[in-house]
């Protein structure tokens, strides 16, 4: 298969972790006979420095001409005092909106060898395997009016039926590929938008009798994510609740450095990025954990290119490297050997090569 991938490294550790992900993609291309045409563009602070725009037209055109986008991270203290239009995160909001990437998928899965880094007790965290599906292009972050005077401010939480329908349907489809359970999270005891949300869920679930649906209020969901996170399969919610709950869930696995994400639309086009930010304090030091970026590339293969086997090969390789006790600085226990970003990436590549050799031996016996 031939695919075009736009890579937007961004700021801080973004260039280091996207470099690692591209190296892994090169191995997958070689081993599975695919061609990935990789082209680079700017976003965030990097784009502000070069083009005075956090999302330049060249970047939009590059992404429009691609099948998927792989992004590093944006932001850093250098741009913190910039006026609002020249803030790096504006680039992210704008690209999600421009491409109508309405569904943000964040898998959170416990990795046995990383449980020591979880703030939760091992027995609470060990069976966690959930997918948070967050609506990404509507709600409070985009609603108008949004303005302030010296003594008052207003933000608007707006959702249309259609916006809710498409994210709810997406969550049901994802649940079918997993354990078939959806927790729909809202604040229907207070908010009109949540009442409409709940109505849509009730209506849409009729076409998915095999999916078990539970309505939950956002406040009790926040508690249950800590007390019994393993109870969740798919969690679907609106933009702001999803922003907060997915960050809460992200700490369960022990490190931000291992969490990938996808922002997709219905036709398969998507933007894939680590959950973590630009970690400016370790940028350029070769210390960044590239796992989240590598797993984001795996999500790209799965959700945009329908390359499930290739995606699983990457996931398996990453897990094996952790199980074999190889860690970057964020995860290594004291006294344990610390690998650099490049060394850890090489371990994943070696593991992919090993997998491939053992699979070829297996096939030659068949
Ligand atoms: N999607 C994004 O691009 C995104 C997301 C969050 C924050 N940010 C931006 O990133 C900058 C820093 O924000 P922050 O410090 O709140 O969040 P952060 O995720 O960058 O860092 C939080 C902590 O986790 C560590 N960390 C993060 N990713 C890591 C990795 N791959 N390997 C090893 N350690 C890692 C950092 O060193 C830091 O201690 C800010 O400018 C913020 O706006 C961007």
């Amino acid at each position: 298969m031939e695919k075009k991938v736009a890579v937007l490294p961004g700021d801080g550790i973004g260039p280091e972790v996207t470099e690692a992900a591209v190296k892994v993609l090169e191995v997958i291309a070689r081993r599975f006979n695919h061609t990935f045409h990789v082209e680079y563009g700017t976003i965030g602070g990097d784009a502000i420095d070069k083009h005075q725009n956090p999302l330049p037209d060249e970047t939009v055109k590059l992404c429009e001409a691609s099948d998927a986008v792989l992004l590093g991270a944006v932001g850093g203290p250098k741009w913190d005092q910039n006026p609002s239009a020249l803030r790096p995160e504006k680039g992210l909001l704008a690209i999600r909106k421009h491409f109508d990437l309405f569904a943000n998928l964040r898998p959170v899965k416990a990795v046995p060898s990383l449980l020591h880094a979880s703030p939760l007790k091992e027995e609470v965290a060990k069976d966690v395997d959930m997918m948070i599906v967050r609506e990404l292009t509507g709600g409070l972050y985009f609603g108008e009016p949004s303005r302030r005077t010296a003594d008052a401010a207003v933000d608007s939480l707006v959702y249309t039926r259609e916006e809710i329908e498409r994210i709810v349907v997406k969550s049901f489809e994802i649940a079918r590929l997993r354990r078939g359970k959806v927790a729909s999270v809202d604040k229907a005891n207070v908010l009109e938008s949540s009442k409409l949300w709940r109505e849509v869920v009730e209506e849409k679930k009729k076409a998915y009798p095999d999916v078990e649906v539970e309505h939950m209020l956002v406040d009790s969901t926040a508690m249950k994510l800590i007390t019994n996170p393993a109870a969740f399969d798919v969690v679907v919610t609106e933009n702001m609740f999803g922003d907060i709950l997915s960050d809460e869930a992200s700490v369960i696995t022990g490190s931000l450095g291992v969490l990938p994400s996808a922002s997709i639309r219905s036709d398969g086009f998507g933007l894939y990025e680590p959950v973590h930010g630009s970690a400016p304090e370790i940028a350029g030091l070769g210390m960044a954990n590239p796992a989240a970026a590598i797993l984001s590339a795996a999500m790209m293969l799965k959700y945009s290119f329908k390359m499930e086997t290739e995606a699983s090969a990457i996931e398996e390789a990453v897990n094996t490297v952790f199980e074999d006790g190889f860690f970057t600085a964020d995860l290594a226990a004291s006294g344990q050997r610390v690998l650099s970003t490049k060394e850890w990436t090489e371990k994943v590549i070696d593991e992919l090569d090993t997998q491939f050799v053992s699979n070829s031996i297996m096939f030659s016996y068949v």
Side-chain angles (χ1 to χ4, degrees):
M1 226 185 254
E2 246 181 271
K3 294 287 176 190
K4 283 188 187 166
V5 180
V7 176
L8 312 180
D11 310 316
I13 60 170
E16 295 160 72
V17 296
T18 45
E19 184 187 332
V22 169
K23 274 193 179 149
V24 169
L25 283 177
E26 283 165 2
V27 178
I28 293 291
R30 208 166 57 237
R31 292 304 195 182
F32 289 86
N33 279 328
H34 299 306
T35 306
F36 299 129
H37 300 283
V38 172
E39 272 193 59
Y40 289 83
T42 58
I43 193 166
D46 176 39
I48 294 170
D49 289 351
K50 290 174 181 152
H51 306 281
Q52 290 73 54
N53 182 348
L55 183 66
D57 292 344
E58 295 88 320
T59 300
V60 173
K61 284 193 190 109
L62 168 68
C63 298
E64 279 172 348
S66 304
D67 298 299
V69 181
L70 185 65
L71 189 140
V74 299
K78 182 176 177 192
W79 305 280
D80 277 354
Q81 305 310 320
N82 279 13
S84 143
L86 288 180
R87 295 291 298 263
E89 57 273 22
K90 282 274 170 191
L92 260 187
L93 291 177
I95 198 169
R96 289 170 182 163
K97 193 76 181 169
H98 179 88
F99 288 97
D100 200 18
L101 303 171
F102 68 89
N104 183 231
L105 316 185
R106 284 205 197 181
V108 180
K109 191 171 178 180
V111 179
S113 53
L114 303 185
L115 283 175
H116 65 273
S118 172
L120 300 187
K121 286 184 194 136
E122 204 165 316
E123 65 265 27
V124 177
K126 72 179 170 43
D127 295 320
V128 170
D129 181 3
M130 74 178 100
M131 175 72 87
I132 300 193
V133 180
R134 164 189 170 195
E135 202 292 325
L136 205 56
T137 51
L140 203 59
Y141 299 169
F142 295 98
E144 291 294 341
S146 170
R147 59 172 175 264
R148 61 163 294 177
T149 62
D151 302 313
V154 59
D155 293 299
S156 306
L157 204 179
V158 182
Y159 267 111
T160 64
R161 181 176 289 273
E162 197 194 339
E163 282 173 322
I164 302 171
E165 279 174 354
R166 60 185 185 173
I167 190 78
V168 165
V169 165
K170 180 64 77 185
S171 74
F172 289 165
E173 282 168 2
I174 290 170
R176 272 192 169 159
L177 302 174
R178 295 172 49 93
R179 302 193 301 281
K181 278 172 62 181
V182 170
S184 170
V185 177
D186 60 40
K187 188 71 183 167
N189 53 344
V190 180
L191 299 174
E192 286 306 317
S193 56
S194 286
K195 288 177 190 152
L196 177 61
W197 181 280
R198 212 172 257 219
E199 196 179 298
V200 170
V201 171
E202 281 300 303
E203 208 175 280
K204 288 287 157 193
K205 81 175 192 193
K206 291 180 193 143
Y208 296 83
D210 49 325
V211 175
E212 188 189 317
V213 180
E214 183 186 7
H215 295 285
M216 291 186 69
L217 294 175
V218 62
D219 32 7
S220 55
T221 308
M223 288 193 274
K224 196 168 168 185
L225 274 175
I226 300 299
T227 54
N228 189 11
F232 292 101
D233 179 14
V234 174
V235 177
V236 63
T237 190
E238 60 93 73
N239 202 345
M240 184 180 65
F241 296 161
D243 190 8
I244 298 166
L245 293 179
S246 57
D247 268 18
E248 183 188 353
S250 73
V251 298
I252 295 172
T253 52
S255 171
L256 268 176
V258 301
L259 293 168
S261 79
S263 304
I264 57 178
R265 59 185 193 201
S266 303
D267 65 357
F269 180 85
L271 177 136
Y272 299 83
E273 56 178 322
V275 165
H276 63 72
S278 61
E281 73 282 7
I282 58 165
L285 300 179
M287 289 169 67
N289 184 345
I294 292 171
L295 291 171
S296 299
M299 286 188 89
M300 177 175 83
L301 299 182
K302 184 170 177 175
Y303 290 100
S304 280
F305 303 164
K306 305 279 174 252
M307 297 178 183
E308 305 246 343
T309 311
E310 293 83 336
S312 302
I314 297 178
E315 285 162 11
E316 200 184 312
V318 165
N319 277 340
T320 307
V321 172
F322 283 137
E323 293 304 322
D324 287 349
F326 296 112
F327 302 109
T328 41
D330 53 321
L331 288 173
S334 77
Q336 219 166 15
R337 186 178 157 214
V338 172
L339 269 63
S340 69
T341 310
K342 286 200 163 99
E343 287 169 329
W344 198 86
T345 308
E346 280 309 314
K347 290 282 176 205
V348 174
I349 290 172
D350 289 349
E351 186 49 41
L352 280 169
D353 285 335
T354 310
Q355 265 182 31
F356 193 79
V357 170
S358 44
N359 284 343
S360 324
I361 291 169
M362 213 167 74
F363 293 142
S364 67
Y365 277 117
V366 174

